[in-house]
Amino acid sequence: MAFIASYRIFPIIINVSVIKNLTASPNERSSHNKKTPNLGGLGISFGAFLISAFFGSLMLDTEMVNILLSIAVSLIILFYAGIKDDLIGLSAKVKLFVEVISASIFIYLTDIRIDSFYGLFGINELPAILSYTFTIFVFIVIINSFNLTDGIDGLAASIAIIIFSCLLYYFINTESILAITSISSMLGSTLAFLRFNISKGKLKIFMGNVGSLVIGFVLAVFTTMVLSSKFSSINFISNKPVYILALFAFPFLDTIRVIILRVISGKSPFLADKNHLHHKFLEVGFSHIKSTFFIITYCLIIISFSFLLFDANILKHFILTLGLSIVFLLLIIWVLSKLKN
């Protein structure tokens, strides 16, 4: 139902955007050569919010409805910031401030936070202050690393679909109706967006900052729920931090790599450039779709191997998964450099 709701609204958003000139113009950082509507996040949010609110009101108890409303409050703030950024622009500092405020509101209203490392590095339960601080940090990292994947057709949406699907699998097995309804709604709406994002015709649209902020925040919310012993006390998957690392391996590592390159070259780590892995694929002649396919294959390999390499020792499991993620990423970069030369 979320897919249908979003699928029907996207043509309207695209046509209005074209008529009102609410489009993204090509610039030195873009991978496109013509003006394109960039309010795809509106369509994603419409379908997801409508269906999750409808089924949530029918199926959730009072406590879960309060959590859903807390998520909605934070998302409204991010939604406003994303719309403003897409239409007139926002500075990186303002967006960071909005992300911190939104994350803080969610954590304060629900007290859902990352309160344990589950034995990773010998750390189990976290002190309250450290727990709150680290959770806000995780929100910022997930939102911004996901935002940086939104550079070519289909990539950000495909990564979101993979992560949402894995999170949905987790929450189905832990029987969380709140998470199941919310993630299913986001999954359906993102699938509908993907159809229009990879289109070559007139009905093409970009996710925009409103889309990447909303999806990034929702991913951060349910990641926090997985890692929160308060919300997710059932130990369905051992080594939860490693599970999350595998899901976000590409966004995390590519972001860290780009920041390191910027610092080494004496540039601001917040300065946009074309050093992301998807740009490297384009430089050697791959299309947007082929580039997305290879990156998504990388993501699926890391997730699969993380399960295959499972070890009861969480630190060993963490090192194996992280090491494999880095090696595979470096191998891809090496191959691309050879193709470029």
Side-chain angles (χ1 to χ4, degrees):
M1 291 181 70
F3 176 89
I4 293 170
S6 291
Y7 194 87
R8 299 297 294 176
I9 201 70
F10 274 120
I12 299 173
I13 295 173
I14 293 169
N15 289 329
V16 171
S17 296
V18 172
I19 293 171
K20 298 297 183 180
N21 197 30
L22 304 175
T23 56
S25 300
N27 56 42
E28 67 279 0
R29 299 193 304 269
S30 64
S31 303
H32 302 83
N33 53 21
K34 66 178 181 179
K35 290 185 176 182
T36 306
N38 66 335
L39 296 176
L42 283 177
I44 296 172
S45 301
F46 173 78
F49 293 178
L50 175 67
I51 301 305
S52 60
F54 176 76
F55 281 99
S57 64
L58 294 176
M59 303 170 66
L60 301 179
D61 58 28
T62 302
E63 182 182 358
M64 293 298 105
V65 168
N66 289 336
I67 293 176
L68 186 61
L69 290 174
S70 300
I71 297 173
V73 169
S74 301
L75 281 174
I76 288 171
I77 298 172
L78 278 172
F79 188 85
Y80 168 76
I83 289 288
K84 189 172 182 179
D85 193 22
D86 285 328
L87 297 180
I88 61 176
L90 280 179
S91 68
K93 290 182 180 179
V94 172
K95 283 192 286 188
L96 179 61
F97 176 75
V98 171
E99 291 165 11
V100 171
I101 293 298
S102 298
S104 300
I105 289 173
F106 168 75
I107 297 167
Y108 173 76
L109 292 177
T110 64
D111 199 35
I112 295 174
R113 50 192 168 85
I114 302 170
D115 52 5
S116 175
F117 274 16
Y118 299 91
L120 182 62
F121 307 122
I123 303 172
N124 285 292
E125 185 176 351
L126 297 175
I129 294 179
L130 181 58
S131 173
Y132 286 115
T133 304
F134 182 71
T135 304
I136 293 173
F137 172 75
V138 169
F139 266 80
I140 293 170
V141 170
I142 289 178
I143 292 171
N144 287 284
S145 62
F146 177 75
N147 176 265
L148 294 175
T149 65
D150 186 24
I152 59 175
D153 294 343
L155 180 58
S158 297
I159 290 175
I161 288 167
I162 289 174
I163 299 176
F164 278 138
S165 298
C166 292
L167 291 174
L168 182 60
Y169 168 74
Y170 175 86
F171 285 111
I172 287 174
N173 284 276
T174 57
E175 299 181 350
S176 170
I177 301 300
L178 167 64
I180 291 170
T181 54
S182 301
I183 294 174
S184 296
S185 299
M186 287 298 300
L187 186 57
S189 295
T190 307
L191 282 165
F193 165 78
L194 183 62
R195 155 67 181 83
F196 292 94
N197 185 225
I198 62 176
S199 171
K200 298 298 182 182
K202 294 182 179 179
L203 292 179
K204 183 180 184 66
I205 193 168
F206 297 155
M207 182 178 291
N209 284 296
V210 64
S212 60
L213 286 175
V214 167
I215 292 178
F217 184 84
V218 175
L219 289 172
V221 164
F222 289 103
T223 293
T224 300
M225 289 182 176
V226 170
L227 297 173
S228 170
S229 60
K230 173 186 175 180
F231 186 86
S232 183
S233 58
I234 300 174
N235 192 27
F236 166 64
I237 291 181
S238 300
N239 301 346
K240 292 180 183 179
V242 184
Y243 178 63
I244 296 301
L245 170 65
L247 297 186
F248 289 94
F250 173 73
F252 287 172
L253 292 178
D254 193 47
T255 299
I256 293 171
R257 184 186 67 84
V258 169
I259 289 175
I260 291 173
L261 289 176
R262 290 171 184 171
V263 171
I264 291 175
S265 61
K267 299 178 181 178
S268 167
F270 304 105
L271 184 66
D273 55 30
K274 285 192 173 184
N275 279 322
H276 290 282
L277 187 63
H278 54 262
H279 292 127
K280 302 301 180 185
F281 275 103
L282 297 182
E283 286 177 3
V284 299
F286 288 107
S287 67
H288 285 225
I289 302 303
K290 287 183 179 179
S291 301
T292 294
F293 171 78
F294 285 120
I295 293 173
I296 294 307
T297 301
Y298 166 85
C299 295
L300 293 173
I301 288 173
I302 298 304
I303 294 170
S304 300
F305 269 90
S306 180
F307 280 98
L308 293 174
L309 296 173
F310 172 80
D311 194 285
N313 184 317
I314 187 173
L315 181 59
K316 183 178 179 181
H317 190 199
F318 177 84
I319 292 173
L320 287 172
T321 301
L322 180 60
L324 184 70
S325 303
I326 294 173
V327 169
F328 269 52
L329 188 65
L330 293 176
L331 180 62
I332 292 172
I333 294 171
W334 179 78
V335 171
L336 291 175
S337 68
K338 292 297 181 180
L339 290 175
K340 186 177 180 181
N341 296 330

